[in-house]
Amino acid sequence: MIPRVLTVAGSDSGGGAGIQADLKTMLALGVHGMSVITAVTAQNSLGVQGAWELPVEAVRAQYRSVVDDIGVQAVKTGMLASAELVGAVAELIGGTDAPAVIDPVGVSKHGDSLLASSALESVRTKLLPVATVATPNLDEVAQLTGVHVESEEQLRQAAAAVLEYGPRWVLIKGGHLPGDAVDLLTDGSAEHWLRAPRHDNRHTHGTGCTLASAIASGLAKGLAVPEAVTAAKEYVTGAIEAGFALGGGIGPVDHGWRFRAGA
């Protein structure tokens, strides 16, 4: 049977991030993607013009509908918006026998807030403890832990701070640092440094969603965490390189870059 991956996230009407990016990534990587929509956004290449979260009952009903009938081999989370939604989703994931990739989305690529400040404590104490892999970027690390990373050497400090909240593994994404795009994956013991050349392309909308979904896809296929993250890093690096203009602002990464490259 084709591996099945469930994304629990918000809808991006522009198609570059959120549920839309997740499902495109899953298709590109050969798994069956399913979705629980947590919020609807009015969003394009220029930013987020509006966001409306769904009731907890609707989120819970979507999740149970998929998991109880179809089943999942991995779960991935994105925009959860409120403390109530974070708590409900954490409870659902905690009761599901599948690895979970937690992308603690705080702000959009354009700087728009996608998580209420009142929800941060719920992310720390309820969501991160159920994560197989947590994938914060440097802004989210600062938001969650107060650790501000300005150099590659500080990635270890950031990872240690996030691991204190209970995820089995953490991937600290160092894409905001100068130089090569370097990330640190660690469980507090083993360390895996992932490096890739930095591509001079401003069209990077959806990078975090895409990476987390690619990791979940690898885990659903039975890969160990380091192998799943390494494969996801390779995929998202190609998607960033092939990112294209869309609208008048920041365009998306190209989820279908391998198809277009004939790979």
Side-chain angles (χ1 to χ4, degrees):
M1 182 177 287
I2 297 174
R4 291 144 288 162
V5 182
L6 177 62
T7 170
V8 184
S11 168
D12 173 1
S13 56
I19 289 285
Q20 288 80 356
D22 297 340
L23 295 177
K24 291 174 186 177
T25 299
M26 293 168 192
L27 178 63
L29 296 178
V31 303
H32 177 66
M34 304 169 291
S35 63
V36 171
I37 297 176
T38 61
V40 175
T41 69
Q43 187 173 169
N44 55 27
S45 69
L46 300 174
V48 179
Q49 292 78 46
W52 301 266
E53 67 180 78
L54 268 66
V56 169
E57 300 78 32
V59 171
R60 186 177 286 113
Q62 291 176 81
Y63 191 100
R64 290 262 61 93
S65 178
V66 171
V67 173
D68 293 347
D69 173 49
I70 301 172
V72 296
Q73 274 74 58
V75 180
K76 174 263 175 190
T77 70
M79 176 185 177
L80 298 180
S82 68
E84 189 178 15
L85 277 177
V86 169
V89 170
E91 180 182 357
L92 289 164
I93 290 174
T96 304
D97 185 19
V101 180
I102 303 301
D103 186 15
V105 176
V107 296
S108 75
K109 180 69 67 178
H110 306 86
D112 303 291
S113 177
L114 299 176
L115 180 72
S117 57
S118 58
L120 285 173
E121 189 61 20
S122 292
V123 172
R124 296 183 189 105
T125 61
K126 296 179 180 178
L127 193 59
L128 289 178
V130 300
T132 306
V133 188
T135 64
N137 62 31
L138 299 186
D139 290 338
E140 290 155 356
V141 167
Q143 194 177 36
L144 290 166
T145 71
V147 174
H148 294 270
V149 176
E150 298 178 353
S151 68
E152 185 177 315
E153 292 72 26
Q154 292 177 296
L155 292 176
R156 282 195 179 97
Q157 179 187 357
V162 176
L163 284 170
E164 287 186 5
Y165 292 112
R168 284 175 49 199
W169 291 83
V170 62
L171 177 67
I172 304 295
K173 300 180 293 191
H176 293 174
L177 295 175
D180 286 348
V182 56
D183 306 327
L184 172 59
L185 172 70
T186 180
D187 61 356
S189 177
E191 281 188 356
H192 303 268
W193 292 85
L194 296 92
R195 298 178 184 276
R198 184 177 299 279
H199 296 293
D200 185 19
N201 187 354
R202 66 188 291 262
H203 302 300
T204 56
H205 186 48
T207 304
C209 307
T210 300
L211 179 63
S213 293
I215 295 170
S217 297
L219 295 177
K221 294 176 180 178
L223 296 180
V225 169
E227 286 71 32
V229 173
T230 299
K233 173 82 168 181
E234 179 184 355
Y235 170 74
V236 80
T237 299
I240 291 170
E241 183 180 15
F244 54 91
L246 197 69
I250 299 173
V253 300
D254 185 359
H255 301 94
W257 67 272
R258 284 178 172 161
F259 302 130
R260 281 181 259 283

